[in-house]
Structures are given as structure tokens and as C-alpha cells.
Amino acid sequence: MNAAIGKVAVCGAGAMGSGIAQVAAQAGASVHIFDVNAQALDASRARTLADLDRLAARGKLSADEVRAIGERMQWVSTLDALADRDLVIEAIIEDAGIKGQLFEQVEAILSPEAIIATNTSSLPISRLARGLKRPERFIGMHFFNPATVMKLVEVISGAATDPAVAERIRATAQSWGKVAIPVADVPGFIVNRVARPFYGEAFAALNEDAADAPAIDALFRAAGFRMGPLELTDLIGQDVNFAVARSVFDSYFGRTRFVPQLRQAALVDAGWFGRKTGRGVYDYRDGAPRAADPQVPDARFSDTHRQAIAALKDAVPGTFLRCGALFVGTTQGRTARQESDSLGAPVILFDWSPADAAGPIGFTLSDERARPDVFGLLAAQSRAGVEIADRPGMIVARTLAQLANAAADAVLEQVADEQGIDAALRYGANYPYGPFAWADRYGRGALVRLLDGIADGTGEALYRPSHYLRNRA
């Protein structure tokens, strides 16, 4: 029963549907690509064959393999051509009504043992299955774009989905080279739910003038992310990203951890959707100025600076180290001014950053008495600095803490387990580490203290630690 499915169809010849079809065909499946639009079919065929040729040119496939894959793929314009398929994957417009009509038409021509899967990124699986005669043969199979590159597939069972169907789809996706993660049927599934703070916290920092956009993005790249959150929303499209934020927020009836950001709404209202319109958070028009990268300060440093930095790398968050007349530490949720008041001396706070990072690191000062030493501390570690407004949790630490918080809620609500959520964020969103892996690296007890400190300092309940985190600290 768990053997990979060999006869597959994909409905929808757009970029996503074509990519899914190519993945299946490259893994050995016979694939039919269906669309009612002849131009879409022609474009899909041309795009797929060109991609296979590029793989051959790079030595990833042989000429014989390219020919065999092409022979396993057929582009068809009638649903009857799908009658012998054992798995039909829908990848059309994100409209429940249109999808529902297609599912009923497809179900009518397939054998009773066939499986219908939807690639929806947001619509409830149980709702989409409601009009089917065999809802137990219906499942979510959420690929990520581009499907030929991104390894994650979220496998979402509806209320009526047969567990054996879910296991066969998981096995099939795995045989196609994907990381297949079982997920509960909840709004946003894993990635579109848990990843919301990555974008929301960046816009909150921008709105509070904690740092400018290039600095915020640079801090996350230094922390291991391929792109910072703001430049990523420009790539995705502000309209698309904000629509997902609104959808998840509304679907959870205003749950506070998923609050959409007014700064992003303003971009959408202005029609500044990002790269595709020429303006977003950044200006992509010809001649627009580009921000310079932060530079390592040309400053002298002492043995005291070097020793403080070396000790700080091994210190538990919340530990403060004497550095001459002041103290140095990593944020634990309180502001530098609060820490200074407690310690009775000036304080330099650093944002969280991997110990082996080479890019810029965020810092904030309790007062100007600490400024001369911060340049020595940066020079001692050969790192550029980004000055951040004195805010609870700073920027990177606050964002990663909220990602872990959202992930913990998802485990508590049985959306997926810790390992599944970490894998989903790594393979579906290209994170350098999952939220639970980061929580273990930071220390779960320290994470709870960090979140409580942010909640106390901001007065916002959305930062209170998930019960799942608090009970396992």
C-alpha cells in the first residue's frame, strides 16, 4: 500500500503545476499535465523541457535521462485523459469554489481507489473535501515554489482522510526526493503559520525606527538567513505576503501572535508591492541609491575588550561581564537602561548572533558613557556594528524568540511535532535552523525569561511564552 504512486496527473500548467509534474517525472512517474488553456500548456512544455536541458548542460542529467523524462510527460487539454491516473494533484487558482468544481469533475472519472490531492497553501482540506463522494481519498499536498528546488511537502489530512492515504502520499513524496511532513488541517499549516513573526517583527522594528531596513536585513543575513525579512517580502510581493498575514490572522479569530503590521499595509495601499512594481520596502528603480554595508570600525581595542568578547561568546544570556567601568551582555528582554539601573553602571547590550558569525551585530547603549567602548568591542571581534534603538529584545533575538513561541503553540495544538516543524522551516522557508533547534541553542529556560522580559517591557501579551515552552523550560 505504501509503494510510490506511478501514474500521476497535475491539474494546472502554471509554474507550480509544471514544477510538481517535473519532480514526479524525474522520479520515474508517468505524468499528465492538464489545463484548459492551450497557451498555458505550450508554455509549460517549453519551460519544463528548457529546465531539463539546463540540468543536462550542468551535468545533473544525461541526454538519455532527459529524453526518458520527456517521454513520461504528456500535456493534455481534456479531463478524460486523466481517467487512468492513480493520483491527481490540483495546482490551480486559490479559489475554493473553482477548486471544488474541478474536484467533483475529476472524482467522477477516476477509479474509486484513486487519490485526489490539493496544493492549496491556505484553504482548509476538510472544507474542500466536503462536496466529494469519497472524502477519505482526498488530501493536502502542499509544495513550495519552485517545486523543483524546494524540498518540503506538507502532507495535510482532513477530518475524513484515510490514514492509509496519508501514509501513501507521504511515501510517494519522499520517493520523489522531498521532505514530507504530516500536518494537521489548520490555517497556514506549518510554514505560513509559524513563519509569520519573521516578517511581522521586522516591520514592527521598522515602524518603531529601531533600525533602518538595510540594517535589519543585514542582521538576519549575519545570523545565517539567506535573505533578511524585509527584502524577502519585496521578493515575495508585499500584496501576497500581507494577504497571507491577514488570512492567518482572520482564520485564528484575531489571535494576537499573528497581528498584521500597519507599515506593510501602507506599502500595499500605495501599490508598492516590491520588486515586481519597482518599489516596496526598497526602491528598485534605475538610479535609486543603494545602502552601504556596515563596516568594521577602525578603532583601537584593549585586552579588556578582547577578554570580554571571548567570555561573552560562552556566557548564558542574561550574564553581564565587567569591561572596565561598564558591563557588557546579550539581551535578555530588558532594555539597556533597565539593566544599567540594576547594575549601577553603563551597559552595552548586544543582540543575539551566532558565536561564529562574521557579519554585523546589533548593539544598544544605556547611555553615551558606553559609546567609546562599543567600538573597541566591535573591533576586537572584527565585526561591524548596527546601532539599535533601546527596545526590549532588540531585533534578532525578539524575532527568533517569537518564531519559537509560534512553533511551541503549534506543537501544543498538535499541528506537528518539534522535529516536523524544524524540518518544515528549514526546507520550506530556507531557515538556517529550525525554531526548536534555535531554542535549544539559546537555552529554553533563557528563552522563557527573554519572552517574559519582552512582554513586561512592551506591555504586549503576544510575547508571553507559550505554555508548551514554559512547561518544558
Side-chain angles (χ1 to χ4, degrees), residues 11-60:
C11 294
M16 177 60 84
S18 300
I20 295 170
Q22 182 179 331
V23 166
Q26 282 185 226
S30 162
V31 186
H32 291 178
I33 302 97
F34 164 78
D35 204 297
V36 294
N37 186 317
Q39 290 182 329
L41 289 173
D42 290 342
S44 171
R45 181 186 293 107
R47 178 169 52 243
T48 302
L49 297 180
D51 192 47
L52 293 172
D53 286 341
R54 281 191 292 271
L55 291 173
R58 291 163 49 197
K60 302 292 185 181

Side-chain angles (χ1 to χ4, degrees), residues 176-330:
W176 293 354
K178 297 301 183 183
V179 176
I181 305 297
V183 185
D185 187 15
V186 298
F189 310 137
I190 295 177
V191 174
N192 281 332
R193 167 182 165 148
V194 175
R196 297 266 49 87
F198 186 65
Y199 313 109
E201 286 298 326
F203 276 106
L206 193 63
N207 197 51
E208 295 171 18
D209 202 24
D212 62 19
I216 293 169
D217 283 335
L219 291 173
F220 281 94
R221 290 195 300 273
F225 291 83
R226 295 186 185 183
M227 297 181 74
L230 298 173
E231 59 188 340
L232 181 55
T233 57
D234 268 355
L235 179 63
I236 295 168
Q238 299 298 341
D239 53 336
V240 174
N241 190 266
F242 185 68
V244 174
R246 286 293 307 269
S247 174
V248 172
F249 179 76
D250 292 343
S251 296
Y252 283 97
F253 308 109
R255 183 179 185 145
T256 56
R257 294 207 210 281
F258 307 125
V259 175
Q261 293 295 317
L262 291 174
R263 187 67 174 262
Q264 189 175 30
L267 292 175
V268 175
D269 289 342
W272 292 8
F273 298 158
R275 288 181 178 270
K276 62 187 176 184
T277 60
R279 296 194 75 173
V281 173
Y282 296 97
D283 191 341
Y284 300 94
R285 296 173 298 177
D286 292 341
R290 299 289 182 261
D293 292 333
Q295 299 297 310
V296 178
D298 183 15
R300 301 175 69 177
F301 59 90
S302 65
D303 287 341
T304 301
H305 293 135
R306 186 187 298 110
Q307 291 163 4
I309 289 300
L312 192 62
K313 288 183 177 181
D314 297 325
V316 175
T319 301
F320 285 87
L321 305 167
R322 173 68 75 171
C323 181
L326 52 78
F327 286 94
V328 180
T330 301

Side-chain angles (χ1 to χ4, degrees), residues 347-430:
V347 166
I348 297 173
L349 272 184
F350 285 106
D351 203 348
W352 185 85
S353 184
D356 57 352
I361 185 170
F363 70 88
T364 192
L365 311 174
S366 62
D367 57 77
E368 286 301 311
R369 291 175 295 168
R371 188 169 297 279
D373 281 285
V374 77
F375 297 114
L377 290 165
L378 290 169
Q381 53 188 316
S382 299
R383 296 188 68 176
V386 170
E387 186 163 5
I388 297 171
D390 191 14
R391 68 198 295 259
M394 303 185 76
I395 292 177
V396 176
R398 186 194 286 198
T399 301
L400 297 182
Q402 273 299 79
L403 284 170
N405 222 3
D409 284 344
V411 176
L412 185 68
E413 295 164 20
Q414 302 182 61
V415 176
D417 61 19
E418 290 191 16
Q419 293 74 23
I421 290 173
D422 271 5
L425 271 296
R426 286 184 59 218
Y427 295 109
N430 274 329

Side-chain angles (χ1 to χ4, degrees), residues 23 27 147 149-153 171-180 427:
V23 166
V149 176
M150 302 299 286
K151 294 184 71 67
L152 179 66
V153 175
T172 295
Q174 193 169 43
S175 76
W176 293 354
K178 297 301 183 183
V179 176
Y427 295 109

Side-chain angles (χ1 to χ4, degrees), residues 58-79:
R58 291 163 49 197
K60 302 292 185 181
L61 295 172
S62 68
D64 288 343
E65 287 172 325
V66 168
R67 184 166 49 254
I69 293 167
E71 290 173 353
R72 288 195 291 270
M73 303 181 75
Q74 293 184 42
W75 285 262
V76 301
S77 58
T78 62
L79 281 175

